[in-house]
Structures are given as structure tokens and as C-alpha cells.
Amino acid sequence: MFLILNSIVASLDGLIIGIGLKLAHTKLSKTNILTIFIGNIVIYTFFLTLYYYFKLTFMTKLISSCLYLFLAWRSYKEKENNTYTEKLSFLECILLTITHSLDGTLISLNFVYNYQLIYIISIFSFSSIILLLLGYYFAKLIKITKKSNYISACLFLLLAFTNQFF
């Protein structure tokens, strides 16, 4: 359950990205969606396999809590940025995927030795694309305020706190 909660919180920026794409009247094609999904799988697979293969252990509770605090600070300081074009090119789609999966990749390293890699990759990749699509398709229904970075920061603070006890 904690793995799923982490994947959702790490993918919350996808909700904001999806809303931003919709509000900027950017068409998100099936090819774009597939590119983002496959890109997430490739990024997660590469970094998690590398971490597992070399038996790295730098993601301790203290380090991961500090990471959550850093991500909370980054979310708090982040400015609203909705600079998208009408159509996403392949390169823009790849860049969007990289930025979208960065925090998810770092957070998923906490679980490498507790769960099978395919399970972690699947959970984080699906959470990532599902939240992006939820933001995109339900942008008009979801009233995100300009203070959405505060919500994201609070969720990362909550993760930092709960990480110390679980």
C-alpha cells in the first residue's frame, strides 16, 4: 500500500501536466500517450536495474526522508508553468516524460530490495500515465487552484513523516 501511495504522490505532477496540456488546448494523441508510457517504463527499468545490479544501498530511511523534504521544497517553490504548444512533437513528448518521471524514479529506488522490479516499474509507470490522463481528460471538472504546488508539497511532507515510521 505504501508503494502505491508513493507512486501516486510521485506522479501528482502528471495531474498538473495533464491539466496544463488541456488548458493550453494541446492535443494529446494516442502516439503521445504510448510514447510517454513506454518512456516511463524504459526510464524506470534502466535506473532500477542499475541500482539493483550494483547492489546500491544509498536510499536509507534518512536519505529518502531528506529526498521527500527536498521534493516538498521544490514543489513549494515551483512556479506555475503552462508553456505548451498546440501539438506535442516526439522530442517534446520525450522531454515531458523525462521530467515527469524524475521524482518517481528517485522515490521508486526505496523499494528495489523489497519488491520485484517488474512490480515497481508497473505501479510507477501506470500511476504516472493514469494521473496525467486524469488531469488531461478531466481538466474542466477539476478546479486546480494556483496553489497546487502547496498541495504537492504537503503530500511530500506527509511521505517524509510516514517514511520514518514504516
Side-chain angles (χ1 to χ4, degrees):
M1 186 64 178
F2 194 58
L3 176 69
I4 294 171
L5 176 66
N6 275 273
S7 70
I8 290 170
V9 171
S11 301
L12 275 178
D13 56 341
L15 191 69
I16 307 302
I17 291 169
I19 292 169
L21 288 171
K22 185 66 162 195
L23 295 178
H25 305 289
T26 302
K27 181 171 175 27
L28 194 59
S29 68
K30 290 179 184 177
T31 306
N32 293 138
I33 295 168
L34 189 62
T35 302
I36 292 169
F37 182 66
I38 291 173
N40 278 326
I41 291 173
V42 168
I43 290 168
Y44 286 126
T45 302
F46 176 76
F47 285 107
L48 294 176
T49 305
L50 194 67
Y51 189 83
Y52 184 79
Y53 179 76
F54 287 112
K55 307 266 188 250
L56 301 173
T57 57
F58 61 84
M59 290 305 280
T60 63
K61 278 190 176 197
L62 176 66
I63 298 294
S64 58
S65 292
C66 289
L67 176 64
Y68 288 136
L69 292 173
F70 169 74
L71 290 171
W73 177 255
R74 192 191 83 185
S75 294
Y76 175 75
K77 286 296 190 180
E78 189 173 279
K79 302 277 189 256
E80 292 294 318
N81 186 11
N82 293 335
T83 55
Y84 302 105
T85 58
E86 288 296 318
K87 272 188 160 181
L88 286 178
S89 69
F90 181 74
L91 180 61
E92 289 171 327
C93 205
I94 294 296
L95 292 174
L96 183 70
T97 304
I98 291 169
T99 16
H100 180 44
S101 65
L102 179 63
D103 48 353
T105 302
L106 292 173
I107 290 172
S108 66
L109 293 176
N110 292 318
F111 303 102
V112 167
Y113 299 115
N114 298 329
Y115 299 96
Q116 291 180 352
L117 291 182
I118 190 71
Y119 185 66
I120 300 168
I121 293 164
S122 299
I123 294 288
F124 276 81
S125 295
F126 278 111
S127 291
S128 176
I129 196 70
I130 287 170
L131 284 174
L132 187 134
L133 291 175
L134 279 174
Y136 184 77
Y137 289 116
F138 296 108
K140 300 221 188 267
L141 299 176
I142 302 171
K143 301 292 183 199
I144 296 292
T145 65
K146 291 186 179 185
K147 305 294 183 191
S148 61
N149 56 335
Y150 295 136
I151 296 168
S152 182
C154 288
L155 289 171
F156 278 119
L157 286 174
L158 179 66
L159 278 176
F161 177 74
T162 56
N163 185 54
Q164 291 300 309
F165 300 106
F166 295 107

